[in-house]
Amino acid sequence: MMEQNIEHLKYPIGKYIEQPFSTAQLKEWLLDIKTLPLQLEEAVINLDESQLDTPYRPDGWTIKQVVHHLADSHMNAYIRFKLGLTENKPTIKPYEEQLWAEMADTKNLPIQISTTLLFALHTRLHEVLKNILPEEWNRTLYHPEHKKEMTLWYLLGMYAWHGKHHVAHITGLCLILKRRQCNKRTTEI
């Protein structure tokens, strides 16, 4: 039971599952990319510093680290899409997510820096993505960590999922914190 609960905390919306190309799926994923910054902002808007410093699961990142990670990850996504559109089968440069999550900018800067960055970044990313021609979605990048080629279509789905995945981490923790606060108030009465 505990393993099942941890798995749900790790993957609150499930793991990413590749989908075949369709115009309906394209519209949905483009909307996910376009609206992620607003969804993220709405998820964190009422959180105080103590809540931002709370891990979303045991041995997990804090909400603050998650917000900064989304900016780090999606900056890489933007670059990966542009490389995939302008080069022939470029190799993705992996990065050490865990180490990035522990750097000074993540520890010291307020999350508003990253949410602001995501609004601008996703405006540009959405503009690039909505102008990709149907045949260009089959262009590939090589991912050395996964030892496989990935299409731009696969990456679009993965990053659309990635944003929703981390917003669900935040909203899931918020529900837990609200329940605790309600329980605390109930026991005080």
Side-chain angles (χ1 to χ4, degrees):
M1 180 71 169
M2 184 65 164
E3 284 181 32
Q4 213 173 17
N5 193 29
I6 293 294
E7 191 68 12
H8 178 70
L9 290 173
K10 282 183 180 180
Y11 299 101
I13 64 168
K15 294 183 179 181
Y16 172 59
I17 299 170
E18 189 171 2
Q19 300 294 315
F21 181 86
S22 73
T23 53
Q25 187 64 74
L26 176 61
K27 285 180 184 177
E28 182 182 326
W29 284 345
L30 288 175
L31 185 61
D32 290 339
I33 295 295
K34 185 176 186 176
T35 61
L36 170 67
L38 184 58
Q39 291 171 8
L40 178 63
E41 186 175 66
E42 288 173 355
V44 300
I45 197 148
N46 292 316
L47 300 180
D48 61 31
E49 281 303 312
S50 172
Q51 293 166 324
L52 291 171
D53 289 332
T54 303
Y56 69 89
R57 67 173 168 83
D59 300 319
W61 285 341
T62 65
I63 298 306
K64 187 175 185 178
Q65 286 174 306
V66 169
V67 173
H68 289 306
H69 162 72
L70 276 166
D72 290 341
S73 176
H74 290 217
M75 283 188 285
N76 276 282
Y78 176 69
I79 291 166
R80 290 170 180 178
F81 276 105
K82 290 191 87 166
L83 288 171
L85 288 164
T86 60
E87 296 180 14
N88 187 29
K89 296 182 183 179
T91 297
I92 288 176
K93 170 74 172 97
Y95 66 101
E96 297 292 335
E97 293 178 354
Q98 185 61 43
L99 296 177
W100 284 36
E102 296 167 9
M103 293 185 72
D105 59 333
T106 300
K107 288 182 179 180
N108 301 334
L109 294 176
I111 62 168
Q112 291 78 6
I113 300 295
S114 284
T115 56
T116 299
L117 189 153
L118 281 164
F119 273 101
L121 177 65
H122 274 245
T123 299
R124 289 193 63 185
L125 179 59
H126 183 261
E127 186 64 25
V128 168
L129 297 174
K130 75 179 186 181
N131 286 292
I132 293 178
L133 301 172
E135 63 273 11
E136 290 177 314
W137 288 113
N138 290 319
R139 294 181 64 90
T140 60
L141 300 96
Y142 179 72
H143 199 304
E145 280 184 330
H146 299 289
K147 297 183 172 72
K148 71 176 193 175
E149 286 187 4
M150 297 176 173
T151 64
L152 294 181
W153 177 251
Y154 177 89
L155 287 180
L156 173 62
M158 186 179 68
Y159 284 108
W161 169 86
H162 186 253
K164 292 192 299 189
H165 165 73
H166 284 305
V167 168
H169 283 144
I170 296 165
T171 56
L173 177 62
C174 289
L175 290 174
I176 291 169
L177 293 173
K178 280 182 184 176
R179 272 190 237 125
R180 284 183 191 159
Q181 190 174 22
C182 288
N183 289 341
K184 183 179 177 185
R185 273 194 240 131
T186 304
T187 58
E188 290 173 355
I189 294 175

